Every structure is written in structure tokens, then in C-alpha cells.
Amino acid sequence: MASVTRAVFGELPSGGGTVEKFQLQSDLLRVDIISWGCTITALEVKDRQGRASDVVLGFAELEGYLQKQPYFGAVIGRVANRIAKGTFKVDGKEYHLAINKEPNSLHGGVRGFDKVLWTPRVLSNGVQFSRISPDGEEGYPGELKVWVTYTLDGGELIVNYRAQASQATPVNLTNHSYFNLAGQASPNINDHEVTIEADTYLPVDETLIPTGWRSAIWSSPLWWHQQKVSARLRAPFTHGPGAKFAGEVAPVQGTAFDLRKPVELGKHLQDFHLNGFDHNFCLKGSKEKHFCARVHHAASGRVLEVYTTQPGVQFYTGNFLDGTLKGKNGAVYPKHSGFCLETQNWPDAVNQPRFPPVLLRPGEEYDHTTWFKFSVA
């Protein structure tokens, strides 16, 4: 069983409201989550000796989360990841979003779901946060009712996302926690062994938008192709062999992106002369719970396994961290000091008709779950 305790975390400036902290505790995990951005601020996991360490990057006080910082632990929405040039069309109407990461819109805009106060409700084994995103917020169409629920079951943190829309709108929700299984003050994640269960990934251009032109029919299976979604697609395949369209889905076989067997991250980046990962990996074709990734830290024995109902995971290795932010207990966070496994739809899906559908329409419900399972080996 899990216990839940509630406390004040801080006050927003100018009478903006009280931010609360909810501590979820089981025999194996302790998780702190605040109502500002549904943010995971701490996550304590035991090592093989039974010693607990906090394995997520973040801040001890509210002020840290109100400054410019890279979405530590927060829920991202209305659309996680990038939308090319901040524009998209829904049913023939064009929408324009704030360009907050030149030249694209990133993580919901200037004031995304990570920068708002949510309404909490305590559950027996967790906490549910809700809010209504008004029509036109950050340029997105329609009112969106959103619920994010965190529950604890032994060594497993379960995050469920639900949403309902008043008009057709793209929706893509995720959590942006940065993990370091050696402990959040450790200088890098080079000694972490990573496995990602993906046969394909999305190559990106210099602005991290999925790119490439692939002639003929796809050579690799698409997530939505394996599901009975043809009825929801407004148009059948009209491209014959030789046609060209954007959004390449590339096989990982023989590339640096083949993480189907464990790789030691630091050595792997060095061997392939990579700056790091910030890429979407295309997961198995199922809306049911499926295995996504496993990360093992041999020195401590800690293991994180991720399962999800989502079609993709953005694997990010903290390439933009630069050591300027002061975290918990005086920690600094240099490049590659944390990793993210952001389970989500594919980036720029609203502009890529061959990607899994991202539009939520009135009468439908967005409902996705991700499981973070911690253990020792």
C-alpha cells in the first residue's frame, strides 16, 4: 500500500495561488509531486544495499521551477515536442502558435501545461490533477479538459493522462522527468546501460523536426498501420510507388540508434561520435501496455523499466544542460547529467499525415498511461 501526505510547497508571486506538494510513499519508492505543472520534484529509490537516493533532477524550492529551466519533472502539453514553424491545419483552418524554440513551437508554447497551477485531488494511493485549458490557449483550438493521475504501486509509479476536447485539437501529453540512477547530484549518465524496444526511429533536421523524403512505399511498418484506424483516416493511401512524402521512418538496424540490446551510454556516444540523443523512437504497434525501455545502473544496481500505451518515446540525454542551474542540495546539472524517456506521440505529427493520429475530436477521449517500474539487479 502507498501513503499520501499533503503540504504547502510555496506561494506563487502576485497572489497567484498556493502550490502544494504531495508525497507518495510505498515500501520501495517515495515520490514528491507539486501542483505547479504536475511536476515530479523528487523520486527516492533504494540501491542494492538498501540505501535510498533521489534519482530525478530538480529544485528544493518553488523559485527554482519559476525560473527559466528545462521542464524538470513537469507534465508537457497541450502538445509535447516540436511543431514545425508553429503552424498546423485542422479541417482546413490554419493555426499559429508561439515560436518559443526557433523556428518551431516546443512543448505547448510560452506558457504550456508545465507553467500553470493545477487543481489536486488526493486518492488512496496517489493524486489526480485537473485543469481546463481554455479555447485559444497558446493558439490551440477548443477548450480541453485534462486530468493527470499519479499512483504508486510498490516499485511502480503509474502516470495516466486523460483529456476531452470541445473541438478538434492536437493533444500529446508526457512527463519530462530527468533521471540519473546514480543519484541526482551525479555528474553524468555515461555508466548507464540503455535498452529501447524500437525497430525504427525518426531522423530529424537541424531544428529537430522529423525530416527526409522517402520514395515508394514505406520500407518499415508504421504504428498506425498495424491498428484498425483506417476508418478514422479521412483519406486512404493515394500515393503509388515512386511518390514522395515527408517524414522518414528509418530502421535502427546498423545505426547508432539500434538500442534493442543494452549499450553503455557514454561509450556508445563516443563510438558513434554523437553529441547525445534527442530523438523519437517508434514503439511497437499496440494501444495496450507494451515494453518501451530499460535503463540499468550497474554500480548501484538500480533499474528503471518503462512501459506505455503510447506509440513513441523521445529519448533525450540532457544535451542542453550546461551546469548553470543550481539544483537540490547544491547539485549542478552539466551536459549529460540526466536522461528523459518521454513517452508520447511522434513529433510534428499534426503536420505529418503518415504519423499516428494526434487530433482529438469532440466525443472522443484521450487516454494514455505510462508505467515507471523501479527495481534492483
Side-chain angles (χ1 to χ4, degrees):
M1 282 296 293
S3 64
V4 184
T5 55
R6 181 176 194 165
V8 171
F9 188 68
E11 298 290 335
L12 292 171
S14 310
T18 300
V19 177
E20 293 184 280
K21 179 179 82 172
F22 300 84
Q23 187 167 95
L24 283 48
Q25 184 150 11
S26 71
D27 292 342
L28 301 173
L29 291 183
R30 197 183 88 195
V31 186
D32 291 352
I33 307 158
I34 59 172
S35 53
W36 179 257
C38 306
T39 300
I40 297 172
T41 62
L43 199 162
E44 289 198 354
V45 190
K46 293 174 182 173
D47 65 10
R48 70 165 65 87
Q49 265 78 46
R51 295 173 303 212
S53 287
D54 184 357
V55 297
V56 293
L57 280 55
F59 306 102
E61 295 173 344
L62 178 60
E63 289 69 29
Y65 292 100
L66 301 180
Q67 68 183 325
K68 182 174 170 57
Q69 50 93 11
Y71 308 94
F72 284 146
V75 161
I76 307 297
R78 182 175 302 192
V79 175
N81 219 308
R82 289 163 175 80
I83 293 178
K85 298 182 172 57
T87 64
F88 62 90
K89 280 185 179 178
V90 175
D91 299 333
K93 183 176 179 183
E94 189 161 276
Y95 294 90
H96 296 269
L97 311 173
I99 305 299
N100 61 326
K101 189 77 172 177
E102 285 285 348
N104 306 311
S105 183
L106 175 68
H107 290 338
V110 175
R111 189 169 179 262
F113 288 5
D114 60 299
K115 297 179 183 69
V116 292
L117 191 60
W118 293 65
T119 302
R121 181 167 73 90
V122 172
L123 308 174
S124 62
N125 61 339
V127 58
Q128 180 179 81
F129 299 98
S130 61
R131 75 175 298 254
I132 295 176
S133 172
D135 180 18
E137 184 175 56
E138 289 297 318
Y140 287 98
E143 180 183 275
L144 190 73
K145 295 178 179 174
V146 193
W147 299 265
V148 177
T149 306
Y150 292 92
T151 52
L152 207 55
D153 181 9
E156 201 162 49
L157 175 64
I158 303 152
V159 192
N160 173 256
Y161 309 87
R162 288 172 50 230
Q164 297 167 354
S166 67
Q167 69 184 86
T169 180
V171 179
N172 186 22
L173 307 176
T174 193
N175 179 281
H176 209 300
S177 288
Y178 290 70
F179 298 97
N180 187 321
L181 298 183
Q184 62 92 26
S186 299
N188 61 62
I189 48 172
N190 292 340
D191 57 352
H192 288 46
E193 286 182 356
V194 179
T195 311
I196 297 180
E197 186 73 10
D199 296 330
T200 53
Y201 78 103
L202 300 182
V204 291
D205 65 17
E206 65 280 357
T207 74
L208 300 177
I209 290 288
T211 188
W213 294 86
R214 173 71 58 94
S215 63
I217 300 301
W218 296 111
S219 63
S220 47
L222 278 180
W223 175 87
W224 61 266
H225 215 194
Q226 301 163 345
Q227 304 188 55
K228 298 175 181 176
V229 298
S230 55
R232 288 183 56 193
L233 297 177
R234 288 190 295 279
F237 260 105
T238 54
H239 298 286
K244 291 186 177 182
F245 42 88
E248 181 181 0
V249 180
V252 300
Q253 182 75 38
T255 74
F257 299 90
D258 192 348
L259 306 179
R260 293 173 295 183
K261 291 180 179 174
V263 302
E264 189 176 285
L265 195 55
K267 182 177 185 302
H268 187 80
L269 294 179
Q270 199 171 27
D271 288 349
F272 284 94
H273 307 288
L274 288 179
N275 178 52
F277 288 100
D278 195 358
H279 295 79
N280 177 81
F281 288 77
C282 310
L283 302 176
K284 293 287 188 282
S286 170
K287 285 184 177 175
E288 302 304 311
K289 178 180 180 179
H290 49 268
F291 175 64
C292 165
R294 181 181 190 269
V295 183
H296 176 219
H297 181 247
S300 67
R302 292 188 187 96
V303 176
L304 167 60
E305 290 176 305
V306 181
Y307 298 80
T308 189
T309 58
Q310 289 276 22
V313 61
Q314 187 83 6
F315 178 42
Y316 174 54
T317 50
N319 312 328
F320 294 109
L321 297 176
D322 60 7
T324 56
L325 293 169
K326 295 289 184 292
K328 291 170 283 188
N329 301 321
V332 294
Y333 301 132
K335 182 178 178 178
H336 297 164
S337 58
F339 68 90
C340 305
L341 287 164
E342 305 158 59
T343 54
Q344 56 185 270
N345 203 326
W346 301 0
D348 199 34
V350 71
N351 291 313
Q352 304 277 6
R354 302 299 169 197
F355 285 7
V358 72
L359 289 184
L360 181 68
R361 296 185 176 275
E364 299 176 342
E365 183 167 80
Y366 178 98
D367 188 350
H368 279 289
T369 305
T370 294
W371 294 258
F372 296 96
K373 183 180 181 182
F374 292 90
S375 60
V376 290

